[in-house]
Amino acid sequence: MRLRPTVLAATYLILSNIQYAYASALTTAIGANVRMCFYAEVDKPKEKIGFYFAVQSGGSFDIDFDVKDPRDVVILEGKQERQGDYILTANHVGEYAFCFENDMSTITEKLIDFDIMVESEPRKETPGKPTQLSEHTSALEESIFKLSGMLTSIERSQKYFHTRENRGFSTVKSTHNRIFWYSFFECVGIVGMACAQVYILQTFFNRTGRKYKV
C-alpha cells in the first residue's frame, strides 16, 4: 500500500514540529559529607528542563539537592528527599547546575539515579499549503501525542519499579549484614561467658593458702 503525498507531507510536518530533547541519564555514588554537581547547557530562553532523581541505596534513602540558574540563583531545592520529578522553565540562557549534597550522613554512601533533560520546540516551514494538510495533521497529531504520553507513562513506571527494586535489595542486604554481625557478637559473647565461668571456678577452687579435703 502506498501513502499519498499529502499524508507523507503531513507526517513530516508533525514530526518536524514535535519537541526534541537531549538528556543525560546517570547513576552515581555520593560519599558521606560530599557535594556533587552536574550541569546542563540551555541555548534559548523559555526552554523546558526535566529533572528526575531517586536515591537507590544508602541510609534512609534521602538526599539534599538544589538547582541553580546561570546567575547562581537557587530556583529549586529540597532537604532529605527520596526522589523527585520536576519540570522547570529556563528563563535565562547559560549553564544550569544540579547539585546533590550528602552532608546529613557521616559514613554512609548514597547511590543516586538521575536524569536531566533539556527540551526545545524548533519550527520549520510547512512543505505544502495548510488547506491541503489540515485534515491529515489533526488526526496524526492526536495519535502521535497519545503515543508520546503512553511512552512517558511507561518510562515513569519503569523508573518507579527500578527504584523500588534497588531499595528492596539494599534493605535485604543491610538486614543480612545486621543478622550476620548480631550472630557473630552473640557467639563471641557466649564463648566469652563460658571462658569467664571456667576462670572463675578455677580461681575459686585454687585460691592460694587454702586446701580442701574430700
Side-chain angles (χ1 to χ4, degrees):
M1 186 177 79
R2 299 180 60 184
L3 295 176
R4 295 181 180 178
T6 54
V7 177
L8 292 175
T11 305
Y12 172 79
L13 173 63
I14 295 171
L15 294 177
S16 64
N17 287 327
I18 290 178
Q19 292 183 351
Y20 72 90
Y22 59 92
S24 56
L26 298 172
T27 300
T28 184
I30 301 178
N33 298 318
V34 172
R35 178 180 174 86
M36 189 175 296
C37 295
F38 302 87
Y39 301 90
E41 187 74 24
V42 174
D43 299 327
K44 299 177 183 178
K46 303 301 180 182
E47 287 186 341
K48 300 296 182 181
I49 302 176
F51 176 48
Y52 165 83
F53 75 92
V55 183
Q56 304 294 335
S57 64
S60 300
F61 306 102
D62 56 357
I63 197 81
D64 297 341
F65 76 94
D66 60 76
V67 180
K68 294 183 179 180
D69 65 7
R71 302 174 302 168
D72 205 29
V73 176
V74 177
I75 58 177
L76 179 66
E77 63 179 343
K79 298 293 183 180
Q80 298 182 354
E81 298 287 342
R82 291 191 169 192
Q83 65 184 60
D85 193 356
Y86 306 95
I87 301 294
L88 309 174
T89 300
N91 295 320
H92 304 279
V93 176
E95 198 172 56
Y96 285 73
F98 302 81
C99 300
F100 298 100
E101 195 167 4
N102 192 20
D103 278 346
M104 82 283 291
S105 179
T106 56
I107 58 174
T108 305
E109 183 182 72
K110 303 292 179 65
L111 185 66
I112 309 294
D113 182 16
F114 68 96
D115 186 7
I116 302 172
M117 181 173 61
V118 180
E119 298 181 350
S120 60
E121 297 180 355
R123 298 296 178 183
K124 297 186 179 181
E125 296 181 357
T126 305
K129 296 181 179 180
T131 55
Q132 297 176 347
L133 302 176
S134 58
E135 60 183 35
H136 302 285
T137 301
S138 58
L140 287 172
E141 279 183 344
E142 185 178 357
S143 300
I144 290 174
F145 283 117
K146 282 183 179 179
L147 289 174
S148 177
M150 292 172 65
L151 289 174
T152 302
S153 177
I154 293 173
E155 182 181 4
R156 291 177 184 273
S157 298
Q158 288 179 336
K159 289 180 179 180
Y160 172 73
F161 287 115
H162 177 68
T163 300
R164 287 193 59 181
E165 180 183 2
N166 286 341
R167 288 178 179 175
F169 177 76
S170 178
T171 302
V172 171
K173 185 178 180 181
S174 176
T175 304
H176 180 269
N177 290 335
R178 291 179 183 179
I179 292 175
F180 171 79
W181 287 112
Y182 176 79
S183 302
F184 174 78
F185 287 116
E186 185 180 21
C187 293
V188 171
I190 293 173
V191 173
M193 290 179 62
C195 293
Q197 289 176 351
V198 172
Y199 175 77
I200 292 172
L201 290 174
Q202 287 181 346
T203 303
F204 180 76
F205 288 107
N206 294 325
R207 290 180 179 177
T208 304
R210 290 188 180 184
K211 295 182 178 179
Y212 296 91
K213 295 183 178 180
V214 180

